[in-house]
């Protein structure tokens, strides 16, 4: 899904102390350069947020476009829905985004490719 010409070193996002919001409004260059226009229609200005708190990090969906969390290498991702409780994130979990599949799944027929963000906890120094 990511354009092959998009540099590996530019495919990583760093959160701040309070977390990270992901979406076209927040990483304009990345979204414009990494993804084809046909895919960008499924990427919201404010797509999801990773909130950092005392009890770890959580996924907060901000978009009506479907988002799933594949936790701990599970074969079956769970949908993250706006307005429902935030979902706990652990190192290696995958956040999967909808890319146009006919059956409204992350990898169904008609999708433009599987778009995933892999959560990596920052190492303490």
């Amino acid at each position: 899904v990511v354009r092959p010409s998009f540099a590996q070193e530019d495919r990583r996002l760093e959160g701040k102390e309070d977390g990270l919001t992901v979406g076209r409004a927040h990483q304009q260059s990345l979204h414009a350069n990494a993804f084809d226009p046909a895919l960008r229609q499924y990427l919201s200005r404010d797509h999801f947020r990773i909130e950092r708190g005392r009890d770890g990090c959580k996924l907060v969906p901000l978009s009506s476009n479907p988002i799933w969390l594949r936790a701990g290498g599970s074969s079956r991702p769970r949908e993250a829905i706006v307005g429902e409780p935030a979902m706990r994130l652990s190192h290696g979990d995958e956040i999967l985004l909808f890319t146009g599949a006919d059956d409204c799944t992350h990898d169904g027929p008609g999708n433009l490719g599987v778009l995933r963000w892999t959560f990596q906890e920052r190492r303490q120094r």
Side-chain angles (χ1 to χ4, degrees), residues 14-27:
E14 289 268 341
K16 302 246 190 294
E17 204 54 40
D18 64 341
L20 170 73
T21 300
V22 176
R24 290 189 336 265
H26 304 276
Q27 296 85 25

Side-chain angles (χ1 to χ4, degrees), residues 3-114:
R3 289 179 175 154
S5 61
F6 192 70
Q8 280 295 129
E9 60 270 12
D10 294 331
R11 298 179 187 204
R12 177 181 300 260
L13 301 176
E14 289 268 341
K16 302 246 190 294
E17 204 54 40
D18 64 341
L20 170 73
T21 300
V22 176
R24 290 189 336 265
H26 304 276
Q27 296 85 25
Q28 293 176 2
S29 178
L30 179 142
H31 284 84
N33 296 312
F35 308 116
D36 289 326
L39 179 74
R40 287 197 303 261
Q41 70 178 317
Y42 299 112
L43 304 175
S44 300
R45 294 178 53 75
D46 301 308
H47 208 91
F48 65 88
R49 179 160 176 74
I50 296 174
E51 291 187 346
R52 179 186 302 264
R54 287 184 161 188
D55 56 343
C57 294
K58 294 183 178 179
L59 171 63
V60 179
L62 303 173
S63 170
S64 59
N65 289 321
I67 302 169
W68 297 266
L69 175 63
R70 181 180 295 147
S74 168
S75 62
R76 183 172 211 123
R78 293 181 303 144
E79 188 169 358
I81 299 172
V82 173
E84 290 191 2
M87 301 169 87
R88 174 93 168 91
L89 286 167
S90 296
H91 185 82
D93 286 353
E94 295 178 330
I95 300 165
L96 307 167
L97 305 185
F98 177 73
T99 62
D102 299 333
D103 62 358
C104 290
T105 63
H106 70 283
D107 61 354
N111 77 69
L112 299 177
V114 176

